[in-house]
Amino acid sequence: MLVSLFILFNNYFEWYKNKLHVLSIRNEDLYINNKFHCKLYKLQSINVVYLNEKYSLGWKLYLDVFPISSNDYIIKKQLLEKDAHEIAEKISIFLDRNVKIES
């Protein structure tokens, strides 16, 4: 019972933490939720990776920023594969970056 409550709380926390992202581009800068995130030229790709962690399964979608992992931004975790790819494609069109599928 306790494990079930933990998993439900974990899922709710993930949803609440990553429920809304407003991406905008101003003067070659990327803003997320009206906060400066990075220079647009540092954004490498939109990455989709399968998570196989202890309490969370599913696909994670994040922005890959150069230099490596200094400023990566998680869009959403625990997605279905179809949803992750669909969201990644829409973001890639808006940001003019490639989608990278990781194994």
Side-chain angles (χ1 to χ4, degrees):
M1 176 93 167
L2 191 58
V3 172
S4 298
L5 288 174
F6 175 76
I7 292 172
L8 286 173
F9 176 74
N10 188 27
N11 288 341
Y12 174 77
F13 180 71
E14 164 61 27
W15 175 82
Y16 185 76
K17 179 181 173 191
N18 297 318
K19 66 180 176 179
L20 178 65
H21 305 279
V22 178
L23 304 174
S24 60
I25 299 171
R26 292 182 232 148
N27 300 327
E28 297 300 317
D29 296 334
L30 175 62
Y31 287 83
I32 301 175
N33 297 333
N34 289 324
K35 293 181 185 174
F36 174 76
H37 181 66
C38 69
K39 293 286 187 184
L40 198 56
Y41 71 88
K42 290 185 176 184
L43 183 62
Q44 299 294 307
S45 62
I46 293 86
N47 292 16
V48 180
V49 63
Y50 182 72
L51 295 176
N52 193 4
E53 298 173 356
K54 190 172 184 178
Y55 296 109
S56 66
L57 296 171
W59 293 83
K60 175 174 86 171
L61 178 65
Y62 69 97
L63 302 177
D64 185 22
V65 180
F66 182 82
I68 299 173
S69 71
S70 67
N71 212 11
D72 291 348
Y73 186 81
I74 297 174
I75 300 290
K76 188 75 177 137
K77 291 182 182 177
Q78 300 176 345
L79 290 167
L80 297 174
E81 182 177 12
K82 179 184 173 213
D83 294 338
H85 291 287
E86 185 177 306
I87 294 168
E89 284 298 321
K90 290 180 181 181
I91 293 173
S92 73
I93 292 168
F94 175 71
L95 297 175
D96 193 27
R97 296 295 185 270
N98 294 327
V99 175
K100 187 167 134 184
I101 310 298
E102 298 179 14
S103 319

